[in-house]
Amino acid sequence: MRTHDQWNTRAETGADIPAIREINLTAFGTPHEADLVDALRADPSWIDGLSIVVTDEDGEPVGHALLTRCHIGDTPALCLAPVAVRPGLQRSGAGSAAVRAALRAAGDMGERYVVVLGHPAYYPRFGFGRASAHGIGLTIDVPDEALMALALDDTHPLPAGTVRYAVPFGI
């Protein structure tokens, strides 16, 4: 089995759109996340270069991670969602490779902050910590440990505030 440092990652291209939809459909078992990605692609929150695919040895996408614009209070930030891997390759490091590549690309673009609403046992490996410890919250009730945040640049600590997601999230 491959390890996370052996996966190939790159920004999505137009040719990847059907594969990304299929990855999200099969990974989540419902159309919600696939529809969300499609809606975000048409939204002003979309940032070219921050939709990352993980490819197999044949160059076929097998995983996906997406960062889109959100705000923490009035401060621009990014939202990590969704992250998906084809079911047969989950727990292979493909998802981690996609997340690491997305965070690296965001940092290279000068982005400073990322929030994620996700599994509290998974995202801390990338440096995410409990958002509430920094005064970051949501307008909806979620388990405190599920909302996490990350500063991509140590010289800019996380701002406090309420996360405002892109319209397609419905939050």
Side-chain angles (χ1 to χ4, degrees), residues 38-154:
D38 291 342
L40 287 166
R41 205 176 269 116
D43 190 79
S45 64
W46 186 266
I47 301 171
D48 286 336
L50 294 183
S51 177
I52 303 296
V53 294
V54 178
T55 60
D56 64 15
E57 59 277 357
D58 298 321
E60 292 300 314
V62 298
H64 177 244
L66 179 60
L67 289 167
T68 53
R69 175 68 64 219
C70 69
H71 291 80
I72 302 171
D74 291 327
T75 304
L78 297 172
C79 167
L80 175 60
V83 175
V85 174
R86 290 193 188 277
L89 292 171
Q90 291 173 358
R91 302 193 185 287
S92 68
S96 291
V99 171
R100 285 189 181 94
L103 295 174
R104 200 168 35 252
D108 290 348
M109 290 181 176
E111 294 290 338
R112 295 184 178 163
Y113 314 110
V114 181
V115 295
V116 64
L117 185 56
H119 199 285
Y122 183 72
Y123 291 98
R125 72 185 71 183
F126 308 108
F128 285 93
R130 194 177 290 223
S132 63
H134 303 279
I136 299 170
L138 292 176
T139 58
I140 60 169
D141 287 333
V142 298
D144 186 57
E145 65 275 8
L147 181 62
M148 294 165 273
L150 168 69
L152 294 173
D153 172 357
D154 291 339

